[in-house]
Amino acid sequence: MRQAMGRNRTPLEKAKLTGADRKNPQRFRDRSEPDSGGPLGNAPKYFTAEQRKAWDMFKIELEWLRSADRAIVELACITRAEIMAGGANVTAALLREHRQQLSSLGASPTSRSNVALPGEADEPDPFARFDS
């Protein structure tokens, strides 16, 4: 019998960028995370042009990535570049690996489904002043 697994924990940085920390402040109130070392930065110098393009795409698509995420982003860029190039190297195994990488980065619909983006029409909470 398979046991259901819980959702992965939303990183605090991602919660701040998406507004999840404001929507459910009790989930993030006592949370602390190790220093992420600042922004993701530029692609590694050893990357090919296609891998750099993948890096730049991830920087735009996944604003919450930080320098502590560089190792997994490097792997995801290498596989994404292979997929973008097409050809015989694009196997079912490569696609599965890339899907797992995207999930690790919070870039799949399933992995980000527990984060609600704040809408532009959100009204300020009229009772917020009583919370303090």
Short mmCIF file of all heavy atoms in Angstrom, two decimals, residues 1-54:
data_model
loop_
_atom_site.label_atom_id
_atom_site.label_comp_id
_atom_site.label_asym_id
_atom_site.label_seq_id
_atom_site.Cartn_x
_atom_site.Cartn_y
_atom_site.Cartn_z
N MET A 1 0.85 -1.17 0.00
CA MET A 1 0.00 0.00 0.00
C MET A 1 0.89 1.24 0.00
O MET A 1 1.84 1.33 0.76
CB MET A 1 -0.91 0.00 1.22
CG MET A 1 -1.69 1.25 1.32
SD MET A 1 -3.08 1.34 2.49
CE MET A 1 -2.54 0.63 3.98
N ARG A 2 0.59 2.20 -0.88
CA ARG A 2 1.35 3.44 -0.94
C ARG A 2 0.82 4.43 0.07
O ARG A 2 -0.38 4.56 0.27
CB ARG A 2 1.24 4.06 -2.32
CG ARG A 2 2.09 3.33 -3.33
CD ARG A 2 1.98 3.97 -4.66
NE ARG A 2 2.42 5.36 -4.58
CZ ARG A 2 2.82 6.07 -5.61
NH1 ARG A 2 2.84 5.54 -6.78
NH2 ARG A 2 3.18 7.32 -5.46
N GLN A 3 1.72 5.11 0.66
CA GLN A 3 1.34 6.12 1.65
C GLN A 3 1.45 7.50 1.00
O GLN A 3 2.43 7.79 0.31
CB GLN A 3 2.27 6.02 2.85
CG GLN A 3 1.80 6.79 4.03
CD GLN A 3 2.67 6.48 5.25
OE1 GLN A 3 3.76 5.97 5.13
NE2 GLN A 3 2.17 6.79 6.40
N ALA A 4 0.45 8.32 1.20
CA ALA A 4 0.46 9.67 0.62
C ALA A 4 1.52 10.51 1.30
O ALA A 4 1.70 10.45 2.52
CB ALA A 4 -0.90 10.32 0.78
N MET A 5 2.24 11.28 0.49
CA MET A 5 3.27 12.16 1.03
C MET A 5 2.72 13.57 1.10
O MET A 5 1.93 13.99 0.27
CB MET A 5 4.50 12.12 0.14
CG MET A 5 5.19 10.78 0.15
SD MET A 5 6.61 10.70 -0.96
CE MET A 5 7.55 12.13 -0.51
N GLY A 6 3.18 14.31 2.08
CA GLY A 6 2.76 15.70 2.22
C GLY A 6 3.45 16.58 1.19
O GLY A 6 4.39 16.18 0.52
N ARG A 7 2.98 17.79 1.06
CA ARG A 7 3.59 18.74 0.14
C ARG A 7 4.93 19.21 0.67
O ARG A 7 5.13 19.29 1.88
CB ARG A 7 2.69 19.96 -0.04
CG ARG A 7 1.43 19.65 -0.77
CD ARG A 7 0.64 20.91 -0.98
NE ARG A 7 -0.57 20.60 -1.70
CZ ARG A 7 -1.53 21.45 -1.94
NH1 ARG A 7 -1.42 22.68 -1.50
NH2 ARG A 7 -2.60 21.09 -2.60
N ASN A 8 5.79 19.59 -0.26
CA ASN A 8 7.07 20.17 0.14
C ASN A 8 6.82 21.53 0.78
O ASN A 8 5.90 22.24 0.40
CB ASN A 8 7.99 20.33 -1.06
CG ASN A 8 8.50 19.02 -1.58
OD1 ASN A 8 8.57 18.04 -0.84
ND2 ASN A 8 8.85 18.98 -2.84
N ARG A 9 7.65 21.88 1.72
CA ARG A 9 7.53 23.15 2.42
C ARG A 9 7.93 24.29 1.49
O ARG A 9 8.95 24.23 0.82
CB ARG A 9 8.47 23.10 3.62
CG ARG A 9 8.31 24.22 4.57
CD ARG A 9 9.19 23.95 5.77
NE ARG A 9 9.03 24.99 6.73
CZ ARG A 9 9.61 25.01 7.90
NH1 ARG A 9 10.38 24.03 8.26
NH2 ARG A 9 9.41 26.00 8.72
N THR A 10 7.13 25.34 1.45
CA THR A 10 7.43 26.50 0.63
C THR A 10 8.56 27.29 1.26
O THR A 10 8.48 27.67 2.43
CB THR A 10 6.19 27.42 0.50
OG1 THR A 10 5.12 26.66 -0.05
CG2 THR A 10 6.48 28.62 -0.36
N PRO A 11 9.65 27.53 0.51
CA PRO A 11 10.74 28.33 1.07
C PRO A 11 10.24 29.73 1.45
O PRO A 11 9.38 30.30 0.78
CB PRO A 11 11.76 28.41 -0.07
CG PRO A 11 11.40 27.28 -0.98
CD PRO A 11 9.93 27.07 -0.83
N LEU A 12 10.78 30.26 2.52
CA LEU A 12 10.36 31.57 3.02
C LEU A 12 10.54 32.66 1.96
O LEU A 12 9.68 33.52 1.79
CB LEU A 12 11.13 31.92 4.29
CG LEU A 12 10.72 33.18 5.02
CD1 LEU A 12 9.25 33.16 5.39
CD2 LEU A 12 11.57 33.35 6.28
N GLU A 13 11.64 32.61 1.23
CA GLU A 13 11.91 33.60 0.18
C GLU A 13 10.81 33.58 -0.88
O GLU A 13 10.31 34.60 -1.32
CB GLU A 13 13.27 33.33 -0.47
CG GLU A 13 13.70 34.38 -1.45
CD GLU A 13 14.14 35.67 -0.80
OE1 GLU A 13 14.55 35.65 0.37
OE2 GLU A 13 14.06 36.71 -1.47
N LYS A 14 10.40 32.38 -1.29
CA LYS A 14 9.34 32.25 -2.28
C LYS A 14 8.02 32.75 -1.71
O LYS A 14 7.25 33.43 -2.40
CB LYS A 14 9.20 30.79 -2.71
CG LYS A 14 8.13 30.57 -3.75
CD LYS A 14 8.05 29.11 -4.16
CE LYS A 14 6.94 28.88 -5.16
NZ LYS A 14 6.81 27.47 -5.50
N ALA A 15 7.76 32.46 -0.46
CA ALA A 15 6.52 32.91 0.18
C ALA A 15 6.45 34.43 0.21
O ALA A 15 5.38 35.01 -0.01
CB ALA A 15 6.43 32.34 1.59
N LYS A 16 7.57 35.08 0.45
CA LYS A 16 7.58 36.55 0.48
C LYS A 16 7.33 37.13 -0.90
O LYS A 16 6.61 38.11 -1.05
CB LYS A 16 8.92 37.04 1.03
CG LYS A 16 9.07 36.83 2.51
CD LYS A 16 10.42 37.30 3.00
CE LYS A 16 10.58 37.05 4.48
NZ LYS A 16 11.92 37.43 4.95
N LEU A 17 7.93 36.52 -1.93
CA LEU A 17 7.76 37.02 -3.29
C LEU A 17 6.35 36.81 -3.82
O LEU A 17 5.84 37.62 -4.59
CB LEU A 17 8.76 36.36 -4.23
CG LEU A 17 10.19 36.86 -4.12
CD1 LEU A 17 11.13 35.96 -4.89
CD2 LEU A 17 10.29 38.29 -4.61
N THR A 18 5.72 35.71 -3.43
CA THR A 18 4.39 35.39 -3.97
C THR A 18 3.25 35.90 -3.11
O THR A 18 2.10 35.84 -3.51
CB THR A 18 4.24 33.87 -4.14
OG1 THR A 18 4.39 33.26 -2.86
CG2 THR A 18 5.25 33.31 -5.11
N GLY A 19 3.55 36.37 -1.90
CA GLY A 19 2.51 36.88 -1.02
C GLY A 19 1.92 35.82 -0.11
O GLY A 19 1.01 36.11 0.66
N ALA A 20 2.43 34.60 -0.18
CA ALA A 20 1.91 33.53 0.67
C ALA A 20 2.13 33.83 2.15
O ALA A 20 1.33 33.43 2.99
CB ALA A 20 2.55 32.19 0.31
N ASP A 21 3.20 34.55 2.47
CA ASP A 21 3.46 34.88 3.88
C ASP A 21 2.45 35.89 4.42
O ASP A 21 2.19 35.93 5.61
CB ASP A 21 4.89 35.40 4.07
CG ASP A 21 5.13 36.73 3.38
OD1 ASP A 21 4.54 36.98 2.30
OD2 ASP A 21 5.93 37.52 3.91
N ARG A 22 1.84 36.67 3.53
CA ARG A 22 0.81 37.62 3.97
C ARG A 22 -0.56 36.95 4.01
O ARG A 22 -1.40 37.31 4.82
CB ARG A 22 0.79 38.83 3.04
CG ARG A 22 2.04 39.69 3.17
CD ARG A 22 1.98 40.95 2.33
NE ARG A 22 1.76 40.74 0.92
CZ ARG A 22 2.70 40.43 0.02
NH1 ARG A 22 3.95 40.28 0.42
NH2 ARG A 22 2.40 40.29 -1.25
N LYS A 23 -0.77 35.99 3.13
CA LYS A 23 -2.05 35.30 3.09
C LYS A 23 -2.21 34.38 4.30
O LYS A 23 -3.29 34.29 4.88
CB LYS A 23 -2.19 34.49 1.81
CG LYS A 23 -3.53 33.80 1.71
CD LYS A 23 -3.72 33.11 0.39
CE LYS A 23 -5.09 32.46 0.39
NZ LYS A 23 -5.45 31.91 -0.87
N ASN A 24 -1.14 33.69 4.67
CA ASN A 24 -1.16 32.77 5.81
C ASN A 24 0.01 33.07 6.74
O ASN A 24 0.96 32.28 6.82
CB ASN A 24 -1.08 31.31 5.33
CG ASN A 24 -2.29 30.91 4.53
OD1 ASN A 24 -3.40 31.00 5.02
ND2 ASN A 24 -2.07 30.48 3.30
N PRO A 25 -0.02 34.21 7.43
CA PRO A 25 1.14 34.59 8.24
C PRO A 25 1.47 33.59 9.34
O PRO A 25 2.63 33.45 9.72
CB PRO A 25 0.75 35.95 8.83
CG PRO A 25 -0.72 36.06 8.64
CD PRO A 25 -1.10 35.17 7.51
N GLN A 26 0.48 32.86 9.83
CA GLN A 26 0.74 31.91 10.91
C GLN A 26 1.67 30.79 10.44
O GLN A 26 2.41 30.22 11.25
CB GLN A 26 -0.58 31.32 11.46
CG GLN A 26 -1.34 30.42 10.51
CD GLN A 26 -2.15 31.13 9.44
OE1 GLN A 26 -2.14 32.36 9.35
NE2 GLN A 26 -2.85 30.37 8.61
N ARG A 27 1.68 30.46 9.17
CA ARG A 27 2.56 29.41 8.65
C ARG A 27 4.02 29.84 8.64
O ARG A 27 4.91 29.00 8.68
CB ARG A 27 2.18 29.04 7.21
CG ARG A 27 0.90 28.28 7.11
CD ARG A 27 0.68 27.86 5.68
NE ARG A 27 -0.63 27.27 5.54
CZ ARG A 27 -1.18 26.97 4.38
NH1 ARG A 27 -0.53 27.22 3.27
NH2 ARG A 27 -2.38 26.44 4.33
N PHE A 28 4.26 31.12 8.55
CA PHE A 28 5.62 31.62 8.38
C PHE A 28 6.12 32.43 9.57
O PHE A 28 7.25 32.88 9.58
CB PHE A 28 5.69 32.46 7.10
CG PHE A 28 5.29 31.69 5.88
CD1 PHE A 28 3.99 31.73 5.40
CD2 PHE A 28 6.20 30.88 5.23
CE1 PHE A 28 3.62 31.00 4.30
CE2 PHE A 28 5.84 30.14 4.12
CZ PHE A 28 4.54 30.20 3.65
N ARG A 29 5.29 32.60 10.60
CA ARG A 29 5.61 33.47 11.72
C ARG A 29 6.92 33.11 12.40
O ARG A 29 7.78 33.95 12.61
CB ARG A 29 4.46 33.45 12.73
CG ARG A 29 4.67 34.39 13.91
CD ARG A 29 3.47 34.44 14.83
NE ARG A 29 2.27 34.77 14.07
CZ ARG A 29 1.12 34.10 14.17
NH1 ARG A 29 1.00 33.10 15.00
NH2 ARG A 29 0.09 34.45 13.44
N ASP A 30 7.09 31.86 12.77
CA ASP A 30 8.28 31.44 13.53
C ASP A 30 9.32 30.76 12.65
O ASP A 30 10.20 30.08 13.16
CB ASP A 30 7.86 30.50 14.66
CG ASP A 30 6.95 31.19 15.66
OD1 ASP A 30 7.16 32.40 15.91
OD2 ASP A 30 6.02 30.54 16.18
N ARG A 31 9.22 30.94 11.37
CA ARG A 31 10.14 30.26 10.46
C ARG A 31 11.41 31.06 10.27
O ARG A 31 11.39 32.27 10.09
CB ARG A 31 9.47 30.07 9.10
CG ARG A 31 10.41 29.41 8.15
CD ARG A 31 9.93 28.44 7.17
NE ARG A 31 8.60 27.97 7.15
CZ ARG A 31 7.96 27.73 6.03
NH1 ARG A 31 8.52 27.99 4.88
NH2 ARG A 31 6.75 27.23 6.05
N SER A 32 12.51 30.38 10.34
CA SER A 32 13.79 30.99 9.99
C SER A 32 14.51 30.01 9.09
O SER A 32 14.37 28.80 9.21
CB SER A 32 14.62 31.28 11.24
OG SER A 32 14.96 30.08 11.88
N GLU A 33 15.24 30.54 8.16
CA GLU A 33 15.98 29.71 7.22
C GLU A 33 17.41 30.21 7.17
O GLU A 33 17.69 31.37 7.43
CB GLU A 33 15.34 29.79 5.82
CG GLU A 33 13.97 29.16 5.78
CD GLU A 33 13.31 29.22 4.40
OE1 GLU A 33 13.89 29.84 3.48
OE2 GLU A 33 12.23 28.66 4.26
N PRO A 34 18.33 29.32 6.81
CA PRO A 34 19.72 29.76 6.71
C PRO A 34 19.86 30.82 5.62
O PRO A 34 19.05 30.88 4.69
CB PRO A 34 20.48 28.48 6.33
CG PRO A 34 19.47 27.49 5.93
CD PRO A 34 18.15 27.93 6.48
N ASP A 35 20.88 31.64 5.76
CA ASP A 35 21.13 32.69 4.78
C ASP A 35 21.31 32.05 3.41
O ASP A 35 22.09 31.12 3.25
CB ASP A 35 22.38 33.48 5.17
CG ASP A 35 22.68 34.61 4.21
OD1 ASP A 35 21.76 35.06 3.50
OD2 ASP A 35 23.84 35.04 4.18
N SER A 36 20.57 32.54 2.44
CA SER A 36 20.62 31.97 1.09
C SER A 36 21.76 32.53 0.27
O SER A 36 21.95 32.15 -0.87
CB SER A 36 19.30 32.22 0.38
OG SER A 36 19.07 33.60 0.28
N GLY A 37 22.53 33.44 0.83
CA GLY A 37 23.71 33.94 0.16
C GLY A 37 23.46 34.97 -0.92
O GLY A 37 24.33 35.22 -1.73
N GLY A 38 22.31 35.56 -0.97
CA GLY A 38 22.05 36.61 -1.95
C GLY A 38 21.45 36.10 -3.24
O GLY A 38 21.03 34.94 -3.33
N PRO A 39 21.41 36.96 -4.25
CA PRO A 39 20.75 36.61 -5.50
C PRO A 39 21.45 35.46 -6.24
O PRO A 39 22.61 35.14 -5.97
CB PRO A 39 20.79 37.89 -6.33
CG PRO A 39 21.69 38.82 -5.62
CD PRO A 39 21.94 38.29 -4.25
N LEU A 40 20.74 34.87 -7.18
CA LEU A 40 21.25 33.73 -7.95
C LEU A 40 22.54 34.07 -8.70
O LEU A 40 23.46 33.28 -8.75
CB LEU A 40 20.18 33.26 -8.94
CG LEU A 40 20.48 32.02 -9.75
CD1 LEU A 40 20.69 30.81 -8.85
CD2 LEU A 40 19.37 31.76 -10.74
N GLY A 41 22.60 35.25 -9.25
CA GLY A 41 23.82 35.67 -9.96
C GLY A 41 23.83 35.20 -11.41
O GLY A 41 22.83 34.72 -11.94
N ASN A 42 24.98 35.34 -12.03
CA ASN A 42 25.14 35.00 -13.43
C ASN A 42 25.43 33.51 -13.60
O ASN A 42 25.89 32.84 -12.67
CB ASN A 42 26.27 35.82 -14.05
CG ASN A 42 25.92 37.29 -14.10
OD1 ASN A 42 24.77 37.67 -14.27
ND2 ASN A 42 26.92 38.13 -13.90
N ALA A 43 25.24 33.04 -14.81
CA ALA A 43 25.51 31.64 -15.15
C ALA A 43 27.00 31.35 -14.99
O ALA A 43 27.84 32.25 -15.14
CB ALA A 43 25.08 31.37 -16.57
N PRO A 44 27.34 30.10 -14.69
CA PRO A 44 28.76 29.74 -14.59
C PRO A 44 29.49 29.98 -15.90
O PRO A 44 28.91 29.87 -16.99
CB PRO A 44 28.72 28.23 -14.26
CG PRO A 44 27.35 27.99 -13.71
CD PRO A 44 26.45 28.99 -14.37
N LYS A 45 30.77 30.28 -15.82
CA LYS A 45 31.57 30.60 -17.01
C LYS A 45 31.71 29.41 -17.94
O LYS A 45 31.89 29.57 -19.14
CB LYS A 45 32.94 31.12 -16.60
CG LYS A 45 32.87 32.45 -15.89
CD LYS A 45 34.26 32.96 -15.53
CE LYS A 45 34.15 34.10 -14.59
NZ LYS A 45 34.29 35.39 -15.08
N TYR A 46 31.66 28.20 -17.41
CA TYR A 46 31.83 27.01 -18.25
C TYR A 46 30.58 26.65 -19.06
O TYR A 46 30.63 25.76 -19.90
CB TYR A 46 32.28 25.81 -17.41
CG TYR A 46 31.25 25.31 -16.44
CD1 TYR A 46 30.28 24.39 -16.83
CD2 TYR A 46 31.25 25.74 -15.11
CE1 TYR A 46 29.34 23.93 -15.93
CE2 TYR A 46 30.32 25.27 -14.21
CZ TYR A 46 29.37 24.36 -14.62
OH TYR A 46 28.44 23.91 -13.73
N PHE A 47 29.48 27.33 -18.85
CA PHE A 47 28.23 27.03 -19.57
C PHE A 47 28.36 27.36 -21.05
O PHE A 47 29.03 28.33 -21.44
CB PHE A 47 27.08 27.85 -18.98
CG PHE A 47 26.27 27.13 -17.94
CD1 PHE A 47 26.72 26.01 -17.28
CD2 PHE A 47 25.00 27.60 -17.62
CE1 PHE A 47 25.95 25.36 -16.33
CE2 PHE A 47 24.22 26.96 -16.67
CZ PHE A 47 24.70 25.82 -16.03
N THR A 48 27.65 26.60 -21.85
CA THR A 48 27.53 26.90 -23.29
C THR A 48 26.52 28.04 -23.45
O THR A 48 25.83 28.42 -22.50
CB THR A 48 27.03 25.67 -24.06
OG1 THR A 48 25.68 25.38 -23.63
CG2 THR A 48 27.92 24.46 -23.85
N ALA A 49 26.40 28.52 -24.67
CA ALA A 49 25.44 29.61 -24.95
C ALA A 49 24.02 29.16 -24.65
O ALA A 49 23.23 29.92 -24.08
CB ALA A 49 25.57 30.07 -26.39
N GLU A 50 23.66 27.93 -25.00
CA GLU A 50 22.31 27.42 -24.74
C GLU A 50 22.04 27.27 -23.25
O GLU A 50 20.94 27.54 -22.78
CB GLU A 50 22.08 26.08 -25.46
CG GLU A 50 21.83 26.23 -26.94
CD GLU A 50 20.59 27.07 -27.26
OE1 GLU A 50 19.52 26.80 -26.69
OE2 GLU A 50 20.70 27.98 -28.09
N GLN A 51 23.04 26.82 -22.51
CA GLN A 51 22.88 26.68 -21.06
C GLN A 51 22.74 28.04 -20.40
O GLN A 51 21.96 28.20 -19.47
CB GLN A 51 24.07 25.90 -20.48
CG GLN A 51 24.07 24.44 -20.92
CD GLN A 51 25.38 23.74 -20.64
OE1 GLN A 51 26.42 24.37 -20.40
NE2 GLN A 51 25.36 22.42 -20.67
N ARG A 52 23.46 29.04 -20.89
CA ARG A 52 23.32 30.40 -20.37
C ARG A 52 21.91 30.94 -20.65
O ARG A 52 21.32 31.63 -19.82
CB ARG A 52 24.36 31.33 -20.98
CG ARG A 52 25.71 31.22 -20.37
CD ARG A 52 26.62 32.37 -20.82
NE ARG A 52 27.92 32.18 -20.23
CZ ARG A 52 28.93 31.56 -20.82
NH1 ARG A 52 28.79 31.10 -22.04
NH2 ARG A 52 30.08 31.43 -20.20
N LYS A 53 21.39 30.63 -21.83
CA LYS A 53 20.04 31.05 -22.18
C LYS A 53 19.04 30.42 -21.21
O LYS A 53 18.12 31.09 -20.71
CB LYS A 53 19.72 30.64 -23.61
CG LYS A 53 18.38 31.09 -24.10
CD LYS A 53 18.17 30.69 -25.57
CE LYS A 53 16.78 31.08 -26.02
NZ LYS A 53 16.55 30.67 -27.42
N ALA A 54 19.22 29.14 -20.90
CA ALA A 54 18.35 28.46 -19.94
C ALA A 54 18.47 29.12 -18.56
O ALA A 54 17.47 29.30 -17.86
CB ALA A 54 18.70 26.97 -19.86
#
